[in-house]
Amino acid sequence: MLSKKKLHALALVVVLSTTLGFDVAMAKGAAGKKSAVVKKTAASAREQAICKSPRFVKALQSYQKRDYRDAISNLEYVDAHGGCCEWTHYYLGLCYQGINQVGLAYRHYEWVTARAKNASLRKYAQYGCDSVTYYAANRTYGGQGGILAAAAYSQSSGGGGGSGCGSFG
């Protein structure tokens, strides 16, 4: 049985993904079909190309199945190979939150709030930051993934460990 806090975090992920106005289940295979994300949200041609890439589409399918680790693997690959965009970081935040890595989730949400052009996405990323901050402050253990540790790492290292953005951190 899930604890009340884990249930809250899971509900948040579901609410955030459905509130943005796209249905990840509608994401089609990479065989040239547009995904709902690309159709409704990606503004630039570069973002559309990223969101159409086979690894990104596979990551969305994994996210929909709640296979967050596989989604993270694909999204990190996309990010490290020239696919750095607001959608990559937003989904990384959702996935890290899904596996209770609140520090990493916070860093990705923070990246979106600072750099995204989509105002709605910035708003939801800020809500994600607030949510993981609340969760981290109220959980019953102080294990890995703490927000303070992530912030300290971000300040001291100046980078995101192989992120293709070059400005993550």
Side-chain angles (χ1 to χ4, degrees):
M1 178 155 176
L2 293 173
S3 70
K4 187 176 181 180
K5 290 178 185 175
K6 286 186 179 182
L7 191 57
H8 173 72
L10 183 60
L12 173 66
V13 170
V14 172
V15 168
L16 285 175
S17 64
T18 57
T19 307
L20 281 172
F22 52 82
D23 183 6
V24 180
M26 290 177 53
K28 304 290 185 201
K33 298 179 182 174
K34 290 185 179 180
S35 73
V37 174
V38 173
K39 200 171 178 181
K40 293 185 180 182
T41 57
S44 72
R46 181 181 173 276
E47 282 181 7
Q48 287 181 8
I50 292 167
C51 293
K52 288 180 189 178
S53 72
R55 294 293 287 255
F56 191 88
V57 171
K58 185 177 182 211
L60 292 184
Q61 291 167 344
S62 296
Y63 170 77
Q64 177 65 23
K65 295 175 191 170
R66 295 187 178 140
D67 185 0
Y68 300 123
R69 293 186 191 281
D70 185 54
I72 289 168
S73 173
N74 284 303
L75 288 167
E76 290 286 0
Y77 179 87
V78 169
D79 187 41
H81 291 87
C84 177
C85 75
E86 57 196 42
W87 293 104
T88 305
H89 284 284
Y90 182 71
Y91 274 106
L92 279 166
L94 287 174
C95 291
Y96 279 119
Q97 184 175 359
I99 62 170
N100 291 323
Q101 292 294 317
V102 295
L104 290 169
Y106 184 86
R107 288 176 62 199
H108 286 284
Y109 287 141
E110 188 176 48
W111 188 98
V112 175
T113 59
R115 294 173 181 87
K117 291 180 172 59
N118 184 319
S120 293
L121 189 61
R122 281 195 317 268
K123 180 175 110 178
Y124 289 116
Q126 182 59 55
Y127 184 71
C129 283
D130 296 344
S131 176
V132 296
T133 301
Y134 175 82
Y135 174 73
N138 292 293
R139 63 185 175 180
T140 58
Y141 66 93
Q144 298 295 320
I147 291 172
L148 295 177
Y153 175 78
S154 175
Q155 295 298 322
S156 67
S157 70
S163 173
C165 299
S167 60
F168 182 77

